[in-house]
Amino acid sequence: MPPLDVEILARLQFAFTVSFHILFPTLTIGLAGFLVFFEARYLRSNNEVWLVLYRFWVKIFALTFGMGVVSGLVLSYQFGTNWSEWSRITGPVLGPLIGFEVLTAFFLEAGFLGIMLFGWKKVGPRLHFLATCLVAIGTMISAFWILSANSWMQTPAGASFVDGQYVVDDWLAVIFNPSFPWRLMHMTTASYLTSSLVVSGISAFYLLAGSHREVARQAFSVAMWAVLVLAPLQIFLGDQHGLNTLEHQPMKVAAMEGNWETQSHAPFHIFAMPDQKLQKNHLELSIPWASSLILKHSPSGVVPGLKEVPVEDQPPVGIVFWSFRVMVGLGFLFLALGLWGAYARWRGTLYDARWLKRLAVVLTPAGFVATLSGWFVTEVGRQPYTVYGAMRTEDSFSPSVTGASVATTLIIFLIVYGGLFGAYLYYLSKLIRKGPDPLKTRETEETPEAIRGARPGLVVPAE
């Protein structure tokens, strides 16, 4: 049996655990915004529909938040066990950033989550709404610090390498490093778009089943507005983030494009089979000049090629190339869903267009797929570095960790996380099957006669 490659196993372990973890913050960041909107509408209008929506989605938020906390704790331990050299060298920069996330975001979320979940009859409506807002703000603060730390690894700034460690020269330059603003906007928009797809998909499921109609109609309408706004915004932010990446991480962009030669009038490859060993593509299907147009906004723009650097300094091209296409393809599919929803709304058929609702149901998990694809592009495209251009992954690993120990813990993670995810899906499906609480007031499908019979004294005008 060949010896186990410890570094590869450690990378696989961290890739699995962080990919598992990112699913849950992605949903909670966006859902927190929806909860603020639902409660604000309820407080302003006193319409029970918004209260029912809040109480339904806050259960899903709480379940997902708990999974995010549990799955995120493991990552910190992996930094110290499998990646001790990385922790030692970058600790003076990244340690405080992660600490700030705990002090400012996690404590804020944990402190007010209890009021948000159980405080309806214990505090006033305004204080409860404040708790909801603070939890939502906490999710955004958490994203701020985590993305700042990760962005510094992509585009390091504000620190110097002294005596085997990075030392901070300028904290503002560290926090607001060159890629951070675009990555923060791109990721938070992805979270809200993913949550919008989840809300629209589950609401469309209820509409197709003919249940919880009044509540589902309101949620579906709000979510489709959100998709209509967020999908084109995300495409724009992705383009700007790509231009920033071209400036600071040109080899990542070359891998995304599957471009081997530095050239002008570069085509965009819709389909190709990158061959890193031969440094070429097979079976190319391309749009002429499109890559130069996208990256340089000119058909004669010169775009970088992977052959500018040795093979050992190139990222794994196949993973980056295809992950990028999955992300972009889904992004334009989300745009199509938003535009279709706008057209159906204009025609007055938003709630009757069965194929629109079916597409919304199908796309319910697609935002997570797009988010994971984007993270694969970001993280795999950074290779072979942990700190881009400065610290290689092979120099970040813990020298004393054995392949057997990493393989054993990886198998344990696969089993335990598989069980956790199964339990999460089980309870999530139970919440969805049960659905929102019934309205105390009439549902839209009830007739005036039924309402008069059910609630004596309620005046309903005859049709």
Side-chain angles (χ1 to χ4, degrees), residues 401-417:
V401 175
T402 65
S405 64
V406 179
T408 301
T409 52
L410 175 57
I411 293 171
I412 293 173
F413 279 131
L414 289 170
I415 295 171
V416 173
Y417 276 28

Side-chain angles (χ1 to χ4, degrees), residues 434-456:
K434 181 182 177 183
D437 297 331
L439 291 170
K440 296 177 183 178
T441 55
R442 67 183 179 91
E443 292 282 339
T444 55
E445 61 267 28
E446 293 180 314
T447 63
E449 290 78 16
I451 297 169
R452 292 191 189 94
R455 296 177 177 83

Side-chain angles (χ1 to χ4, degrees), residues 183-229:
R183 298 187 72 236
L184 177 65
M185 290 186 287
H186 193 53
M187 183 59 202
T188 52
T189 303
S191 298
Y192 273 87
L193 183 54
T194 298
S195 300
S196 301
L197 292 165
V198 172
V199 174
S200 67
I202 293 176
S203 302
F205 170 77
Y206 290 139
L207 291 173
L208 288 168
S211 59
H212 312 289
R213 289 186 181 176
E214 188 170 348
V215 174
R217 283 163 65 99
Q218 289 282 25
F220 187 65
S221 176
V222 170
M224 290 305 295
W225 275 123
V227 172
L228 178 63
V229 173

Side-chain angles (χ1 to χ4, degrees), residues 233-432:
L233 175 62
Q234 183 70 330
I235 292 172
F236 168 75
L237 292 174
D239 174 69
Q240 295 302 305
H241 181 30
L243 297 179
N244 178 270
T245 305
L246 176 65
E247 179 182 355
H248 297 283
Q249 296 175 296
M251 289 304 102
K252 181 188 290 188
V253 173
M256 290 159 55
E257 298 294 316
N259 190 37
W260 300 97
E261 304 286 350
T262 300
Q263 58 183 313
S264 63
H265 301 87
F268 178 80
H269 304 305
I270 300 173
F271 180 92
M273 299 297 293
D275 188 331
Q276 197 153 6
K277 185 176 293 185
L278 296 178
Q279 299 283 284
K280 59 184 272 189
N281 296 327
H282 304 288
L283 304 175
E284 289 183 353
L285 176 63
S286 308
I287 302 175
W289 303 356
S291 185
S292 290
L293 281 170
I294 294 169
L295 294 172
K296 295 293 187 176
H297 297 170
S298 168
S300 59
V302 177
V303 298
L306 286 156
K307 290 183 180 179
E308 287 188 6
V309 299
V311 176
E312 59 269 21
D313 293 337
Q314 296 173 2
V317 180
I319 298 174
V320 178
F321 180 85
W322 281 110
S323 297
F324 178 70
R325 273 144 190 79
V326 170
M327 178 185 65
V328 171
L330 286 174
F332 280 99
L333 188 57
F334 302 155
L335 176 62
L337 176 68
L339 294 174
W340 189 356
Y343 176 71
R345 193 189 300 272
W346 175 69
R347 293 195 62 189
T349 60
L350 179 63
Y351 310 114
D352 303 319
R354 292 189 65 82
W355 284 105
L356 172 64
K357 291 181 284 189
R358 287 171 178 168
L359 178 60
V361 172
V362 170
L363 291 181
T364 302
F368 299 105
V369 178
T371 300
L372 284 175
S373 298
W375 271 95
F376 293 160
V377 171
T378 297
E379 299 307 310
V380 179
R382 182 182 60 197
Q383 296 302 320
Y385 301 100
T386 48
V387 180
Y388 190 79
M391 185 178 183
R392 299 180 75 92
T393 305
E394 61 188 16
D395 299 325
S396 306
F397 185 69
S398 301
S400 60
V401 175
T402 65
S405 64
V406 179
T408 301
T409 52
L410 175 57
I411 293 171
I412 293 173
F413 279 131
L414 289 170
I415 295 171
V416 173
Y417 276 28
L420 284 173
F421 194 60
Y424 172 78
L425 292 178
Y426 171 75
Y427 286 107
L428 179 64
S429 64
K430 282 191 67 174
L431 289 172
I432 295 172

